[in-house]
Amino acid sequence: MDDLTAKSSCQIQRIGEVVRLEEHFVLILCNGKMIEVPNAKVDADVRPGDQVSWTGCSWSCIN
């Protein structure tokens, strides 16, 4: 049976800010935490300072 009192880390929308571009990953500040995201999961045209959101498969620039 499912425990309905268990806490979930799911969020409806994740928004972050690109901090730095590295050779193999992009550093994104999201909810006060720095996360390293593989380049393949981030839009190719992001730059430091860009606001990005998680689409379910990749991080995309917010326009």
Side-chain angles (χ1 to χ4, degrees):
M1 182 188 285
D2 292 333
D3 181 3
L4 298 178
T5 62
K7 293 188 180 193
S8 173
S9 63
C10 292
Q11 295 180 350
I12 293 180
Q13 186 175 28
R14 293 183 77 187
I15 296 177
E17 180 179 340
V18 176
V19 175
R20 187 171 66 236
L21 306 176
E22 296 290 339
E23 185 176 350
H24 299 289
F25 66 90
V26 175
L27 192 62
I28 297 175
L29 177 62
C30 182
N31 296 329
K33 296 181 183 178
M34 293 288 193
I35 56 174
E36 293 179 2
V37 180
N39 289 340
K41 296 219 175 233
V42 181
D43 280 352
D45 58 342
V46 299
R47 299 290 173 252
D50 285 351
Q51 296 291 309
V52 291
S53 69
W54 178 247
T55 65
C57 13
S58 67
W59 287 90
S60 299
C61 286
I62 300 172
N63 293 330

Short mmCIF file of all heavy atoms in Angstrom, two decimals:
data_model
loop_
_atom_site.label_atom_id
_atom_site.label_comp_id
_atom_site.label_asym_id
_atom_site.label_seq_id
_atom_site.Cartn_x
_atom_site.Cartn_y
_atom_site.Cartn_z
N MET A 1 0.85 -1.18 0.00
CA MET A 1 0.00 0.00 0.00
C MET A 1 0.90 1.25 0.00
O MET A 1 1.92 1.27 0.65
CB MET A 1 -0.91 0.00 1.23
CG MET A 1 -1.84 1.19 1.22
SD MET A 1 -2.79 1.40 2.73
CE MET A 1 -4.00 0.14 2.56
N ASP A 2 0.49 2.29 -0.68
CA ASP A 2 1.25 3.53 -0.73
C ASP A 2 1.11 4.29 0.57
O ASP A 2 0.04 4.37 1.14
CB ASP A 2 0.75 4.43 -1.87
CG ASP A 2 1.06 3.86 -3.23
OD1 ASP A 2 2.03 3.11 -3.35
OD2 ASP A 2 0.32 4.19 -4.16
N ASP A 3 2.24 4.89 1.01
CA ASP A 3 2.22 5.72 2.20
C ASP A 3 1.94 7.15 1.78
O ASP A 3 2.80 7.82 1.22
CB ASP A 3 3.56 5.62 2.93
CG ASP A 3 3.59 6.46 4.19
OD1 ASP A 3 2.56 7.06 4.57
OD2 ASP A 3 4.66 6.51 4.81
N LEU A 4 0.75 7.64 2.03
CA LEU A 4 0.36 8.98 1.60
C LEU A 4 1.02 10.08 2.41
O LEU A 4 0.95 11.24 2.04
CB LEU A 4 -1.17 9.12 1.66
CG LEU A 4 -1.93 8.16 0.75
CD1 LEU A 4 -3.43 8.36 0.93
CD2 LEU A 4 -1.55 8.37 -0.70
N THR A 5 1.68 9.74 3.52
CA THR A 5 2.36 10.75 4.32
C THR A 5 3.82 10.92 3.90
O THR A 5 4.50 11.80 4.40
CB THR A 5 2.31 10.38 5.82
OG1 THR A 5 2.99 9.14 6.01
CG2 THR A 5 0.87 10.29 6.30
N ALA A 6 4.31 10.10 2.98
CA ALA A 6 5.70 10.20 2.54
C ALA A 6 5.89 11.51 1.78
O ALA A 6 5.04 11.92 1.00
CB ALA A 6 6.06 9.03 1.64
N LYS A 7 7.03 12.15 2.02
CA LYS A 7 7.32 13.42 1.35
C LYS A 7 7.87 13.15 -0.04
O LYS A 7 8.63 12.24 -0.25
CB LYS A 7 8.30 14.24 2.17
CG LYS A 7 7.71 14.69 3.47
CD LYS A 7 8.60 15.64 4.19
CE LYS A 7 7.91 16.04 5.48
NZ LYS A 7 8.53 17.16 6.09
N SER A 8 7.49 13.98 -0.98
CA SER A 8 7.94 13.87 -2.36
C SER A 8 8.75 15.11 -2.72
O SER A 8 8.45 16.20 -2.27
CB SER A 8 6.74 13.75 -3.29
OG SER A 8 7.17 13.81 -4.62
N SER A 9 9.79 14.92 -3.54
CA SER A 9 10.58 16.07 -3.98
C SER A 9 10.10 16.60 -5.33
O SER A 9 10.72 17.46 -5.91
CB SER A 9 12.06 15.68 -4.08
OG SER A 9 12.22 14.68 -5.06
N CYS A 10 9.00 16.07 -5.84
CA CYS A 10 8.46 16.52 -7.13
C CYS A 10 8.00 17.97 -7.04
O CYS A 10 7.46 18.40 -6.03
CB CYS A 10 7.29 15.66 -7.56
SG CYS A 10 7.77 14.00 -7.98
N GLN A 11 8.23 18.69 -8.11
CA GLN A 11 7.76 20.06 -8.20
C GLN A 11 7.03 20.22 -9.51
O GLN A 11 7.30 19.52 -10.48
CB GLN A 11 8.94 21.03 -8.17
CG GLN A 11 9.70 21.01 -6.88
CD GLN A 11 10.86 22.00 -6.92
OE1 GLN A 11 11.18 22.54 -7.97
NE2 GLN A 11 11.46 22.23 -5.79
N ILE A 12 6.13 21.17 -9.56
CA ILE A 12 5.39 21.41 -10.78
C ILE A 12 6.29 22.10 -11.80
O ILE A 12 6.28 21.75 -12.96
CB ILE A 12 4.13 22.24 -10.49
CG1 ILE A 12 3.19 21.37 -9.67
CG2 ILE A 12 3.50 22.73 -11.77
CD1 ILE A 12 1.90 22.00 -9.28
N GLN A 13 7.09 23.06 -11.37
CA GLN A 13 7.97 23.77 -12.29
C GLN A 13 9.30 24.04 -11.61
O GLN A 13 9.32 24.49 -10.46
CB GLN A 13 7.33 25.08 -12.73
CG GLN A 13 8.12 25.80 -13.78
CD GLN A 13 7.41 27.04 -14.28
OE1 GLN A 13 6.63 27.65 -13.56
NE2 GLN A 13 7.68 27.42 -15.51
N ARG A 14 10.38 23.74 -12.30
CA ARG A 14 11.71 24.04 -11.78
C ARG A 14 12.31 25.15 -12.63
O ARG A 14 12.37 25.04 -13.85
CB ARG A 14 12.60 22.80 -11.85
CG ARG A 14 12.15 21.72 -10.91
CD ARG A 14 13.08 20.55 -10.95
NE ARG A 14 14.28 20.87 -10.18
CZ ARG A 14 15.35 20.09 -10.13
NH1 ARG A 14 15.38 18.96 -10.79
NH2 ARG A 14 16.40 20.44 -9.40
N ILE A 15 12.73 26.22 -11.96
CA ILE A 15 13.34 27.36 -12.64
C ILE A 15 14.70 27.59 -12.02
O ILE A 15 14.86 27.49 -10.80
CB ILE A 15 12.45 28.61 -12.52
CG1 ILE A 15 11.14 28.37 -13.25
CG2 ILE A 15 13.17 29.83 -13.08
CD1 ILE A 15 10.14 29.49 -13.15
N GLY A 16 15.67 27.89 -12.85
CA GLY A 16 17.02 28.13 -12.35
C GLY A 16 17.71 29.22 -13.15
O GLY A 16 17.16 29.76 -14.12
N GLU A 17 18.93 29.52 -12.72
CA GLU A 17 19.76 30.52 -13.41
C GLU A 17 21.08 29.87 -13.78
O GLU A 17 21.72 29.21 -12.96
CB GLU A 17 20.02 31.71 -12.50
CG GLU A 17 20.88 32.76 -13.16
CD GLU A 17 21.13 33.97 -12.27
OE1 GLU A 17 20.37 34.17 -11.30
OE2 GLU A 17 22.09 34.69 -12.55
N VAL A 18 21.49 30.05 -15.03
CA VAL A 18 22.76 29.51 -15.50
C VAL A 18 23.87 30.32 -14.84
O VAL A 18 23.92 31.55 -14.94
CB VAL A 18 22.86 29.60 -17.04
CG1 VAL A 18 24.23 29.13 -17.52
CG2 VAL A 18 21.76 28.78 -17.69
N VAL A 19 24.75 29.61 -14.13
CA VAL A 19 25.85 30.26 -13.43
C VAL A 19 27.13 30.20 -14.26
O VAL A 19 27.84 31.20 -14.41
CB VAL A 19 26.09 29.58 -12.05
CG1 VAL A 19 27.31 30.15 -11.36
CG2 VAL A 19 24.85 29.73 -11.18
N ARG A 20 27.41 29.02 -14.83
CA ARG A 20 28.67 28.85 -15.54
C ARG A 20 28.55 27.72 -16.56
O ARG A 20 27.85 26.74 -16.33
CB ARG A 20 29.78 28.52 -14.54
CG ARG A 20 31.15 28.49 -15.10
CD ARG A 20 32.25 28.38 -14.03
NE ARG A 20 32.18 27.12 -13.32
CZ ARG A 20 32.07 27.00 -11.99
NH1 ARG A 20 31.99 28.07 -11.23
NH2 ARG A 20 32.04 25.82 -11.42
N LEU A 21 29.24 27.89 -17.69
CA LEU A 21 29.31 26.84 -18.71
C LEU A 21 30.67 26.16 -18.60
O LEU A 21 31.70 26.83 -18.54
CB LEU A 21 29.17 27.45 -20.11
CG LEU A 21 27.93 28.31 -20.36
CD1 LEU A 21 28.00 28.92 -21.76
CD2 LEU A 21 26.67 27.52 -20.18
N GLU A 22 30.66 24.85 -18.54
CA GLU A 22 31.89 24.06 -18.48
C GLU A 22 31.95 23.19 -19.74
O GLU A 22 31.01 23.15 -20.52
CB GLU A 22 31.91 23.19 -17.22
CG GLU A 22 31.95 23.98 -15.93
CD GLU A 22 33.27 24.68 -15.69
OE1 GLU A 22 34.30 24.28 -16.28
OE2 GLU A 22 33.28 25.66 -14.91
N GLU A 23 33.04 22.47 -19.90
CA GLU A 23 33.21 21.65 -21.09
C GLU A 23 32.14 20.57 -21.23
O GLU A 23 31.61 20.33 -22.30
CB GLU A 23 34.59 21.00 -21.08
CG GLU A 23 34.90 20.22 -22.34
CD GLU A 23 36.30 19.66 -22.36
OE1 GLU A 23 37.12 20.01 -21.50
OE2 GLU A 23 36.56 18.85 -23.26
N HIS A 24 31.80 19.89 -20.11
CA HIS A 24 30.88 18.77 -20.16
C HIS A 24 29.55 19.00 -19.44
O HIS A 24 28.68 18.13 -19.47
CB HIS A 24 31.54 17.51 -19.59
CG HIS A 24 32.76 17.11 -20.35
ND1 HIS A 24 32.70 16.57 -21.62
CD2 HIS A 24 34.07 17.19 -20.03
CE1 HIS A 24 33.92 16.33 -22.04
NE2 HIS A 24 34.78 16.69 -21.10
N PHE A 25 29.41 20.14 -18.77
CA PHE A 25 28.18 20.40 -18.04
C PHE A 25 27.93 21.89 -17.91
O PHE A 25 28.81 22.71 -18.17
CB PHE A 25 28.21 19.74 -16.65
CG PHE A 25 29.25 20.31 -15.72
CD1 PHE A 25 28.95 21.38 -14.88
CD2 PHE A 25 30.51 19.77 -15.65
CE1 PHE A 25 29.89 21.90 -14.02
CE2 PHE A 25 31.47 20.29 -14.78
CZ PHE A 25 31.16 21.36 -13.97
N VAL A 26 26.71 22.21 -17.50
CA VAL A 26 26.31 23.59 -17.21
C VAL A 26 25.95 23.65 -15.73
O VAL A 26 25.24 22.78 -15.22
CB VAL A 26 25.09 24.01 -18.07
CG1 VAL A 26 24.60 25.39 -17.69
CG2 VAL A 26 25.44 23.95 -19.55
N LEU A 27 26.47 24.63 -15.03
CA LEU A 27 26.17 24.81 -13.61
C LEU A 27 24.95 25.73 -13.49
O LEU A 27 24.95 26.85 -14.00
CB LEU A 27 27.37 25.42 -12.90
CG LEU A 27 27.34 25.43 -11.38
CD1 LEU A 27 27.28 24.01 -10.84
CD2 LEU A 27 28.56 26.14 -10.84
N ILE A 28 23.89 25.21 -12.85
CA ILE A 28 22.63 25.94 -12.71
C ILE A 28 22.29 26.08 -11.23
O ILE A 28 22.40 25.11 -10.47
CB ILE A 28 21.49 25.20 -13.44
CG1 ILE A 28 21.77 25.15 -14.94
CG2 ILE A 28 20.14 25.87 -13.17
CD1 ILE A 28 20.77 24.34 -15.74
N LEU A 29 21.91 27.28 -10.82
CA LEU A 29 21.43 27.53 -9.46
C LEU A 29 19.92 27.36 -9.49
O LEU A 29 19.20 28.08 -10.19
CB LEU A 29 21.79 28.95 -9.01
CG LEU A 29 21.29 29.37 -7.63
CD1 LEU A 29 21.89 28.48 -6.55
CD2 LEU A 29 21.63 30.82 -7.37
N CYS A 30 19.43 26.36 -8.75
CA CYS A 30 18.00 26.05 -8.74
C CYS A 30 17.56 25.79 -7.30
O CYS A 30 18.12 24.91 -6.63
CB CYS A 30 17.73 24.82 -9.61
SG CYS A 30 16.00 24.38 -9.71
N ASN A 31 16.62 26.58 -6.83
CA ASN A 31 16.10 26.44 -5.46
C ASN A 31 17.21 26.50 -4.42
O ASN A 31 17.22 25.74 -3.46
CB ASN A 31 15.31 25.14 -5.31
CG ASN A 31 14.07 25.12 -6.16
OD1 ASN A 31 13.48 26.16 -6.43
ND2 ASN A 31 13.67 23.95 -6.59
N GLY A 32 18.16 27.39 -4.62
CA GLY A 32 19.25 27.58 -3.67
C GLY A 32 20.34 26.53 -3.73
O GLY A 32 21.26 26.55 -2.93
N LYS A 33 20.28 25.62 -4.70
CA LYS A 33 21.29 24.57 -4.84
C LYS A 33 21.95 24.66 -6.20
O LYS A 33 21.30 24.93 -7.20
CB LYS A 33 20.65 23.18 -4.70
CG LYS A 33 20.06 22.92 -3.35
CD LYS A 33 19.47 21.53 -3.31
CE LYS A 33 18.81 21.30 -1.96
NZ LYS A 33 18.19 19.98 -1.87
N MET A 34 23.26 24.42 -6.23
CA MET A 34 23.99 24.36 -7.48
C MET A 34 23.89 22.94 -8.02
O MET A 34 24.15 21.98 -7.30
CB MET A 34 25.47 24.70 -7.28
CG MET A 34 25.69 26.13 -6.88
SD MET A 34 25.39 27.23 -8.26
CE MET A 34 26.08 28.71 -7.61
N ILE A 35 23.47 22.81 -9.27
CA ILE A 35 23.41 21.49 -9.88
C ILE A 35 24.21 21.48 -11.18
O ILE A 35 24.24 22.47 -11.91
CB ILE A 35 21.95 21.03 -10.14
CG1 ILE A 35 21.19 22.04 -11.00
CG2 ILE A 35 21.21 20.80 -8.84
CD1 ILE A 35 19.81 21.57 -11.40
N GLU A 36 24.92 20.38 -11.42
CA GLU A 36 25.67 20.20 -12.65
C GLU A 36 24.78 19.42 -13.61
O GLU A 36 24.38 18.30 -13.32
CB GLU A 36 26.96 19.43 -12.39
CG GLU A 36 27.95 20.20 -11.56
CD GLU A 36 29.22 19.41 -11.29
OE1 GLU A 36 29.37 18.28 -11.79
OE2 GLU A 36 30.07 19.94 -10.56
N VAL A 37 24.47 20.03 -14.75
CA VAL A 37 23.58 19.42 -15.73
C VAL A 37 24.40 19.10 -16.98
O VAL A 37 25.06 20.00 -17.52
CB VAL A 37 22.41 20.37 -16.08
CG1 VAL A 37 21.50 19.75 -17.10
CG2 VAL A 37 21.65 20.76 -14.82
N PRO A 38 24.36 17.86 -17.46
CA PRO A 38 25.10 17.53 -18.69
C PRO A 38 24.67 18.44 -19.84
O PRO A 38 23.49 18.80 -19.97
CB PRO A 38 24.69 16.08 -18.97
CG PRO A 38 24.20 15.55 -17.66
CD PRO A 38 23.62 16.72 -16.92
N ASN A 39 25.63 18.81 -20.68
CA ASN A 39 25.35 19.70 -21.81
C ASN A 39 24.20 19.21 -22.67
O ASN A 39 23.44 20.02 -23.20
CB ASN A 39 26.60 19.87 -22.67
CG ASN A 39 27.67 20.69 -21.98
OD1 ASN A 39 27.40 21.42 -21.05
ND2 ASN A 39 28.90 20.55 -22.44
N ALA A 40 24.05 17.91 -22.81
CA ALA A 40 22.99 17.35 -23.66
C ALA A 40 21.59 17.65 -23.13
O ALA A 40 20.62 17.58 -23.86
CB ALA A 40 23.18 15.84 -23.78
N LYS A 41 21.48 18.05 -21.85
CA LYS A 41 20.17 18.32 -21.25
C LYS A 41 19.89 19.81 -21.12
O LYS A 41 18.95 20.22 -20.43
CB LYS A 41 20.08 17.66 -19.88
CG LYS A 41 20.14 16.15 -19.98
CD LYS A 41 19.22 15.54 -19.01
CE LYS A 41 19.20 14.04 -19.20
NZ LYS A 41 17.89 13.54 -19.39
N VAL A 42 20.71 20.65 -21.81
CA VAL A 42 20.54 22.10 -21.73
C VAL A 42 20.54 22.67 -23.15
O VAL A 42 21.31 22.23 -24.00
CB VAL A 42 21.70 22.74 -20.93
CG1 VAL A 42 21.54 24.24 -20.82
CG2 VAL A 42 21.80 22.12 -19.54
N ASP A 43 19.65 23.64 -23.42
CA ASP A 43 19.64 24.30 -24.72
C ASP A 43 21.04 24.77 -25.08
O ASP A 43 21.75 25.33 -24.23
CB ASP A 43 18.71 25.52 -24.72
CG ASP A 43 17.25 25.16 -24.88
OD1 ASP A 43 16.93 23.98 -25.16
OD2 ASP A 43 16.42 26.08 -24.72
N ALA A 44 21.44 24.58 -26.32
CA ALA A 44 22.79 24.92 -26.77
C ALA A 44 23.08 26.42 -26.70
O ALA A 44 24.24 26.82 -26.61
CB ALA A 44 23.00 24.41 -28.19
N ASP A 45 22.04 27.26 -26.73
CA ASP A 45 22.26 28.71 -26.78
C ASP A 45 22.22 29.40 -25.42
O ASP A 45 22.20 30.63 -25.36
CB ASP A 45 21.26 29.36 -27.74
CG ASP A 45 19.81 29.10 -27.35
OD1 ASP A 45 19.55 28.18 -26.55
OD2 ASP A 45 18.93 29.82 -27.85
N VAL A 46 22.22 28.65 -24.30
CA VAL A 46 22.19 29.30 -22.98
C VAL A 46 23.52 29.98 -22.69
O VAL A 46 24.57 29.56 -23.17
CB VAL A 46 21.83 28.32 -21.84
CG1 VAL A 46 20.46 27.72 -22.02
CG2 VAL A 46 22.89 27.28 -21.64
N ARG A 47 23.45 31.03 -21.91
CA ARG A 47 24.62 31.81 -21.50
C ARG A 47 24.51 32.08 -20.00
O ARG A 47 23.40 32.09 -19.44
CB ARG A 47 24.69 33.14 -22.25
CG ARG A 47 24.81 33.00 -23.75
CD ARG A 47 26.18 32.45 -24.14
NE ARG A 47 26.26 32.16 -25.56
CZ ARG A 47 26.27 30.94 -26.09
NH1 ARG A 47 26.18 29.88 -25.31
NH2 ARG A 47 26.36 30.75 -27.38
N PRO A 48 25.64 32.34 -19.33
CA PRO A 48 25.58 32.69 -17.91
C PRO A 48 24.63 33.86 -17.68
O PRO A 48 24.60 34.82 -18.45
CB PRO A 48 27.03 33.05 -17.57
CG PRO A 48 27.84 32.24 -18.54
CD PRO A 48 27.03 32.26 -19.82
N GLY A 49 23.80 33.73 -16.63
CA GLY A 49 22.82 34.75 -16.31
C GLY A 49 21.44 34.46 -16.87
O GLY A 49 20.46 35.06 -16.43
N ASP A 50 21.34 33.54 -17.84
CA ASP A 50 20.04 33.19 -18.41
C ASP A 50 19.17 32.48 -17.38
O ASP A 50 19.66 31.68 -16.59
CB ASP A 50 20.19 32.25 -19.63
CG ASP A 50 20.69 32.96 -20.87
OD1 ASP A 50 20.77 34.20 -20.87
OD2 ASP A 50 21.02 32.24 -21.85
N GLN A 51 17.87 32.76 -17.43
CA GLN A 51 16.89 32.02 -16.64
C GLN A 51 16.45 30.82 -17.48
O GLN A 51 16.18 30.97 -18.67
CB GLN A 51 15.68 32.90 -16.32
CG GLN A 51 16.02 34.09 -15.44
CD GLN A 51 16.39 33.67 -14.03
OE1 GLN A 51 15.67 32.93 -13.40
NE2 GLN A 51 17.52 34.14 -13.56
N VAL A 52 16.41 29.64 -16.85
CA VAL A 52 16.02 28.43 -17.56
C VAL A 52 14.96 27.68 -16.76
O VAL A 52 14.84 27.86 -15.54
CB VAL A 52 17.24 27.51 -17.80
CG1 VAL A 52 18.19 28.11 -18.81
CG2 VAL A 52 17.98 27.20 -16.51
N SER A 53 14.18 26.87 -17.46
CA SER A 53 13.18 26.04 -16.78
C SER A 53 13.30 24.61 -17.29
O SER A 53 13.67 24.37 -18.44
CB SER A 53 11.77 26.59 -16.98
OG SER A 53 11.36 26.44 -18.31
N TRP A 54 12.95 23.67 -16.43
CA TRP A 54 12.99 22.26 -16.76
C TRP A 54 11.70 21.89 -17.48
O TRP A 54 10.61 22.13 -16.98
CB TRP A 54 13.16 21.44 -15.48
CG TRP A 54 13.16 19.97 -15.70
CD1 TRP A 54 12.21 19.09 -15.29
CD2 TRP A 54 14.16 19.19 -16.37
NE1 TRP A 54 12.55 17.82 -15.66
CE2 TRP A 54 13.75 17.85 -16.34
CE3 TRP A 54 15.36 19.50 -17.01
CZ2 TRP A 54 14.49 16.82 -16.90
CZ3 TRP A 54 16.10 18.48 -17.57
CH2 TRP A 54 15.67 17.16 -17.51
N THR A 55 11.83 21.29 -18.67
CA THR A 55 10.67 20.94 -19.47
C THR A 55 10.23 19.49 -19.27
O THR A 55 9.22 19.07 -19.81
CB THR A 55 10.96 21.11 -20.98
OG1 THR A 55 11.97 20.16 -21.35
CG2 THR A 55 11.40 22.51 -21.30
N GLY A 56 10.99 18.75 -18.51
CA GLY A 56 10.72 17.33 -18.33
C GLY A 56 11.79 16.49 -19.01
O GLY A 56 12.01 15.34 -18.66
N CYS A 57 12.45 17.07 -20.00
CA CYS A 57 13.57 16.37 -20.65
C CYS A 57 14.82 17.24 -20.82
O CYS A 57 15.90 16.73 -20.99
CB CYS A 57 13.21 15.81 -22.00
SG CYS A 57 11.74 16.29 -22.80
N SER A 58 14.66 18.56 -20.72
CA SER A 58 15.83 19.44 -20.86
C SER A 58 15.56 20.79 -20.19
O SER A 58 14.42 21.10 -19.86
CB SER A 58 16.17 19.66 -22.33
OG SER A 58 15.15 20.38 -22.97
N TRP A 59 16.64 21.54 -20.00
CA TRP A 59 16.55 22.90 -19.47
C TRP A 59 16.48 23.84 -20.65
O TRP A 59 17.34 23.81 -21.52
CB TRP A 59 17.76 23.22 -18.60
CG TRP A 59 17.73 22.53 -17.28
CD1 TRP A 59 18.26 21.30 -17.00
CD2 TRP A 59 17.15 22.99 -16.07
NE1 TRP A 59 18.04 20.98 -15.69
CE2 TRP A 59 17.35 22.00 -15.10
CE3 TRP A 59 16.46 24.14 -15.72
CZ2 TRP A 59 16.91 22.14 -13.78
CZ3 TRP A 59 16.02 24.29 -14.42
CH2 TRP A 59 16.25 23.30 -13.47
N SER A 60 15.47 24.70 -20.70
CA SER A 60 15.25 25.62 -21.80
C SER A 60 15.24 27.05 -21.29
O SER A 60 14.76 27.32 -20.19
CB SER A 60 13.93 25.34 -22.50
OG SER A 60 13.92 24.05 -23.03
N CYS A 61 15.72 27.98 -22.13
CA CYS A 61 15.69 29.40 -21.79
C CYS A 61 14.26 29.88 -21.63
O CYS A 61 13.38 29.46 -22.38
CB CYS A 61 16.38 30.23 -22.88
SG CYS A 61 18.16 30.10 -22.87
N ILE A 62 14.06 30.77 -20.67
CA ILE A 62 12.75 31.40 -20.48
C ILE A 62 12.79 32.72 -21.23
O ILE A 62 13.64 33.55 -20.98
CB ILE A 62 12.48 31.66 -18.98
CG1 ILE A 62 12.48 30.35 -18.22
CG2 ILE A 62 11.15 32.40 -18.81
CD1 ILE A 62 12.39 30.54 -16.71
N ASN A 63 11.87 32.90 -22.13
CA ASN A 63 11.81 34.15 -22.90
C ASN A 63 10.61 34.95 -22.50
O ASN A 63 9.60 34.55 -22.15
CB ASN A 63 11.73 33.86 -24.39
CG ASN A 63 13.03 33.24 -24.86
OD1 ASN A 63 14.09 33.49 -24.32
ND2 ASN A 63 12.94 32.41 -25.88
#
